[in-house]
Amino acid sequence: MNAIVTVLGHDKVGIIAAVCALLAKNNVNILDISQTILQGAFTMVMAVKMDASCSVGDLRTQLEALGQEMGITIRIQREEIFDAMHRI
Amino acid sequence: MLNQKDILSTIEMIDQQHLDIRTITMGISLLSCCDENPQKALMKIYEKITRYAENLVKTGEDIEREFGIPIVNKRISVTPMALVAGASHTEDYAPFAAALDRAAKACGVNFIGGYSALVQKGMTEADEKLIRSIPKVLAETDLVCASVNVGSTRAGINVDAAALMGQVVKDTAAATTDRDGFGCAKLVVFCNAVEDNPFMAGAFHGVGEAERVINVGVSGPGVVHHALQAVKGQPLDVAAETVKKTAFRVTRMGQLVAQEASRRLDAPFGIVDLSLAPTPAIGDSVARILEELGVSVCGAHGTTAALALLNDAVKKGGVMASSSVGGLSGAFIPVSEDEGMIAAARAGTLCIDKLEAMTCVCSVGLDMIAVPGDTPAETIAAIIADEAAIGMVNNKTTAVRILPAPGKRVGDTIEMGGLLGSAPVMPVHPESSADFIHRGGRIPAPLHSLRN
């Protein structure tokens, strides 16, 4: 299942490393990353592929905990929601 | 891959513009629960609702987590109870409402709709028993919503029923005096009621519907407002196009959620309701959209035209985005639930007469309006008749959900909390309509040629 991970917050050392490590630990493959600093805010969007053993709900809990720890907002959402809203 | 800008715009809509799925409503037919023995009927009703809707709330929450889109309400609508209870030998219908209330609580939903009667042409004994029990029922239950259809384009208006409902609204307010007449927030009087409406308090599961069905109501006044800010000052056709595109996106999301919920709950997908439903939160107001279009305060001249544009553009965008559109599908203008409407009503710009005009061009009617506690039942019945006439002649759904708050006067405010918000008490015309209402009888169905 494909999902989109978005990370928003103040830039600091180690955000990408921490998020990627957590995804790797859950056997989640990263298909694409785009990262930029928008008006001083760290903004990263990742397209990821999860295997059947991993649920979006579980991963969401872990990512939210990591986000809290680092003082940033991390989300994971199934890709279909963006497809539905932006593609015909 | 998806464009980063699109992804971030969706997240901004959810985070800052209050984009959400307003409700997933499971419609359940209770026709199979009819029984001569009321005790048996009650058992069947409870059992069927809790069996079908057992996983409704959990499924809603799962979808919410996986897709990252808030689903504010999970609800149940059932067959109009007068049709089910009518089979039982009993004078007291309150236990039927209590069974609905218990089932709703067991399922964890926040409202159950369908304590209803359809009396547009005439009342059966069961209809009348049910209607007369409404004040008691709404005072004694927590989650049950009641609705009564008193008119239709094909049948005309049942003025006897409208007169009775004027009294029932008053009695409901009196029965819930300790909560400022809150019971009336759970009571809707319709003309041309629809069978697949997912929104409360007027939802019921029509007899033309399947055994069970999933209907979804989307929302998004904040998103539309934000999109319109980008085309400030441009011609109104540009504004209409902008609303259309935004409504398309919002509805596509609703369609996705509806299909996913339907698949997981093994219940057929019914409709997506395209209504723009406001909340009392800042930035989630329909009134503020009208003001963004250039009307300085909601209620000023031009408001009806702005609302007509908005309502039509939402439908045009939404229809393209969903395989099946239904319910009420239009912009809601519930005064107490809309921060901008509350402000306009407090300022005295928005009055009941203007709201009535606005209901000619949008869904759904005079909604969540507080009026003085000493408003006579006949005046409320006349307000219901006026609104029903608009629905009947214009072939659309209209409704009245009015709160004559006991002991309150113009200038007071009643607080309901949560999504129901707070309602400033608005003035009604003091002149009597009693003789008109006391005539009773029916207003015949209108002619549908020679239209002007």
Side-chain angles (χ1 to χ4, degrees):
Chain A
M1 183 197 305
N2 288 359
I4 303 287
V5 177
T6 47
V7 185
L8 302 167
H10 280 296
D11 195 13
K12 64 171 79 168
V13 174
I15 296 179
I16 298 181
V19 174
C20 292
L22 194 154
L23 294 174
K25 198 177 79 187
N26 286 281
N27 206 22
V28 175
N29 188 23
I30 299 171
L31 304 175
D32 195 354
I33 302 185
S34 83
Q35 187 258 304
T36 163
I37 305 287
L38 271 178
Q39 293 159 351
F42 177 90
T43 308
M44 176 164 73
V45 177
M46 306 167 104
V48 301
K49 191 177 185 67
M50 310 166 58
D51 62 24
S53 67
C54 187
S55 88
V56 178
D58 279 352
L59 204 52
R60 185 184 169 114
T61 312
Q62 293 182 43
L63 285 167
E64 279 171 355
L66 176 66
Q68 213 151 34
E69 203 179 290
M70 300 192 75
I72 51 177
T73 311
I74 311 180
R75 279 190 190 75
I76 182 162
Q77 290 162 278
R78 279 174 60 173
E79 190 183 32
E80 291 99 312
I81 190 100
F82 301 100
D83 276 337
M85 286 182 77
H86 300 286
R87 287 184 183 169
I88 299 183
Chain B
M1 168 174 175
L2 280 150
N3 178 328
Q4 180 181 345
K5 201 173 128 234
D6 290 341
I7 291 172
L8 294 175
S9 85
T10 298
I11 287 172
E12 198 188 333
M13 284 182 198
I14 295 168
D15 267 11
Q16 284 152 37
Q17 298 160 23
H18 304 279
L19 176 62
D20 54 44
I21 299 290
R22 186 51 50 84
T23 180
I24 296 183
T25 303
M26 179 182 273
I28 300 174
S29 169
L30 295 184
L31 288 172
S32 63
C33 302
C34 294
D35 200 295
E36 279 182 29
N37 179 339
Q39 288 310 320
K40 280 191 186 160
L42 295 178
M43 276 167 51
K44 288 186 198 171
I45 288 169
Y46 181 86
E47 189 279 325
K48 187 163 185 184
I49 294 173
T50 49
R51 176 160 47 89
Y52 276 179
E54 187 185 8
N55 293 320
L56 176 62
V57 171
K58 185 183 175 298
T59 304
E61 284 166 356
D62 287 349
I63 293 174
E64 195 169 350
R65 281 178 70 73
E66 286 177 31
F67 290 92
I69 174 83
I71 299 171
V72 182
N73 298 304
K74 295 93 186 169
R75 293 165 167 175
I76 297 169
S77 64
V78 298
T79 308
M81 190 48 77
L83 300 176
V84 182
S88 299
H89 293 305
T90 176
E91 291 304 309
D92 183 12
Y93 285 2
F96 288 90
L100 293 180
D101 205 40
R102 278 201 313 279
K105 284 174 181 163
C107 297
V109 296
N110 58 356
F111 275 124
I112 184 163
Y115 196 73
S116 307
L118 310 176
V119 297
Q120 58 270 29
K121 200 159 179 197
M123 259 184 275
T124 63
E125 281 174 22
D127 290 330
E128 190 166 348
K129 276 190 234 171
L130 180 132
I131 290 173
R132 291 192 187 279
S133 73
I134 286 175
K136 179 171 184 267
V137 157
L138 294 183
E140 288 176 357
T141 59
D142 297 313
L143 307 180
V144 174
C145 292
S147 57
V148 175
N149 190 60
V150 299
S152 76
T153 299
R154 286 191 167 273
I157 301 171
N158 182 343
V159 179
D160 291 327
L164 179 57
M165 286 315 295
Q167 192 58 50
V168 166
V169 168
K170 286 283 285 182
D171 294 346
T172 302
T176 49
T177 302
D178 54 330
R179 285 168 283 165
D180 283 342
F182 174 71
C184 297
K186 300 181 287 179
L187 172 60
V188 185
V189 188
F190 274 115
C191 174
N192 287 325
V194 290
E195 299 198 318
D196 52 6
N197 165 22
F199 286 102
M200 293 298 167
F204 63 86
H205 184 75
V207 287
E209 296 283 316
E211 181 72 6
R212 60 173 170 166
V213 71
I214 289 292
N215 296 324
V216 164
V218 296
S219 181
V223 183
V224 172
H225 186 189
H226 185 264
L228 283 173
Q229 283 170 336
V231 294
K232 226 178 233 318
Q234 296 192 37
L236 290 169
D237 44 345
V238 176
E241 273 304 301
T242 306
V243 174
K244 247 165 75 178
K245 286 178 188 156
T246 311
F248 176 81
R249 291 210 170 96
V250 170
T251 311
R252 287 271 286 187
M253 184 193 72
Q255 169 84 8
L256 175 73
V257 168
Q259 281 174 329
E260 192 68 24
S262 139
R263 189 179 60 77
R264 292 185 190 194
L265 289 162
D266 190 26
F269 159 57
I271 55 99
V272 175
D273 188 314
L274 306 178
S275 297
L276 272 188
T279 69
I282 303 280
D284 204 17
S285 155
V286 170
R288 298 297 184 203
I289 298 177
L290 305 176
E291 292 170 5
E292 182 60 40
L293 284 168
V295 182
S296 62
V297 180
C298 180
H301 296 297
T303 302
T304 311
L307 183 57
L309 177 155
L310 172 68
N311 199 50
D312 182 62
V314 166
K315 283 184 205 168
K316 284 175 179 159
V319 158
M320 260 285 281
S322 172
S323 58
S324 175
V325 169
L328 299 169
S329 287
F332 288 171
I333 49 170
V335 175
S336 78
E337 300 174 4
D338 186 306
E339 167 268 322
M341 300 258 172
I342 296 171
R346 275 215 182 103
T349 315
L350 187 61
C351 58
I352 291 185
D353 292 348
K354 187 63 182 176
L355 280 162
E356 189 182 304
M358 289 161 74
T359 64
C360 300
V361 298
C362 82
S363 154
V364 73
L366 294 173
D367 196 11
M368 293 303 282
I369 292 169
V371 295
D374 59 2
T375 307
E378 290 87 354
T379 300
I380 292 175
I383 291 172
I384 291 169
D386 278 346
E387 201 52 43
I390 290 171
M392 171 183 78
V393 170
N394 294 305
N395 212 348
K396 74 188 285 295
T397 307
T398 50
V400 174
R401 184 161 52 144
I402 194 166
L403 299 93
K408 300 282 179 180
R409 295 203 193 100
V410 175
D412 293 344
T413 297
I414 60 172
E415 297 288 342
M416 280 158 290
L419 283 178
L420 296 170
S422 66
V425 176
M426 299 169 82
V428 296
H429 293 289
E431 295 80 6
S432 172
S433 316
D435 288 349
F436 176 69
I437 293 302
H438 287 159
R439 280 172 176 261
R442 282 199 300 132
I443 296 178
L447 188 65
H448 271 285
S449 54
L450 310 175
R451 292 189 63 130
N452 257 318

